[in-house]
Amino acid sequence: MAAVTMVTSVYNVWTKTEMRPRVKALCGTIPWWMLMLDVWIIFTYSEWAWENGGYACFLLAPYVCMMNCRQIICNMARQEDFWFQPLAFLFFAFPLNRLLPQVLDKTDLRTQGGVPILIDESWVALAIFMVSSLEFILFVVGTVEQIKD
């Protein structure tokens, strides 16, 4: 479904954008491409995501909310949009969790499939969720403070 949304967005930008350069308008889809990359990372590098699909999708909620809020605020305030979403890089913790045990030669903990991991994947997911939720809450509080002043 996300792929259909992306194709539709790119088509609409390419055919209906009049006021600014089309390439600049296409850059507004970068956060959504980053979101699709994060979904791919979660389900490629984590057995936890396949066992807990609902939680894996819920893990993306603070990131999606942050992305949507930033886009809405930038559109309403006529500001430049944030194309780069730093929260997207939190999800690289899943591949790092599988890579570091091999680099550090520490293979004590393994997934059910036998892949060595550094920390249990549910703890990695919880840490990502907590950090991204905190970042979203701080963004909302900061935005409300700016509006109040």
Side-chain angles (χ1 to χ4, degrees):
M1 189 64 183
V4 172
T5 303
M6 284 305 303
V7 170
T8 306
S9 297
V10 169
Y11 173 77
N12 287 336
V13 164
W14 196 254
T15 58
K16 298 184 170 55
T17 301
E18 298 171 3
M19 296 180 64
R20 56 184 176 172
R22 289 182 175 139
V23 173
K24 190 173 181 183
L26 282 173
C27 289
T29 63
I30 289 174
W32 293 104
W33 290 108
M34 293 174 78
L35 175 66
M36 288 196 299
L37 174 68
D38 289 339
V39 170
W40 178 78
I41 286 172
I42 290 171
F43 284 98
T44 301
Y45 292 100
S46 172
E47 290 179 17
W48 171 86
W50 289 103
E51 295 167 2
N52 304 291
Y55 289 136
C57 291
F58 189 68
L59 179 63
L60 294 163
Y63 172 64
V64 172
C65 290
M66 172 79 103
M67 187 171 48
N68 287 334
C69 285
R70 280 186 170 176
Q71 287 180 341
I72 290 168
I73 289 169
C74 289
N75 286 334
M76 297 304 290
R78 305 273 191 246
Q79 297 174 348
E80 284 293 318
D81 196 3
F82 296 101
W83 297 338
F84 177 72
Q85 302 289 331
L87 282 180
F89 293 104
L90 285 175
F91 297 95
F92 281 99
F94 282 111
L96 283 174
N97 192 33
R98 289 188 175 199
L99 176 67
L100 287 178
Q102 298 167 5
V103 172
L104 300 174
D105 207 20
K106 182 180 178 184
T107 58
D108 302 337
L109 189 59
R110 294 183 177 270
T111 63
Q112 291 178 349
V115 178
I117 55 175
L118 190 62
I119 303 169
D120 187 60
E121 291 177 334
S122 58
W123 288 107
V124 173
L126 180 63
I128 290 172
F129 183 76
M130 291 176 66
V131 169
S132 59
S133 295
L134 179 65
E135 178 68 26
F136 176 63
I137 290 168
L138 291 174
F139 174 77
V140 169
V141 168
T143 303
V144 170
E145 289 295 322
Q146 285 180 354
I147 292 171
K148 271 186 5 182
D149 293 337

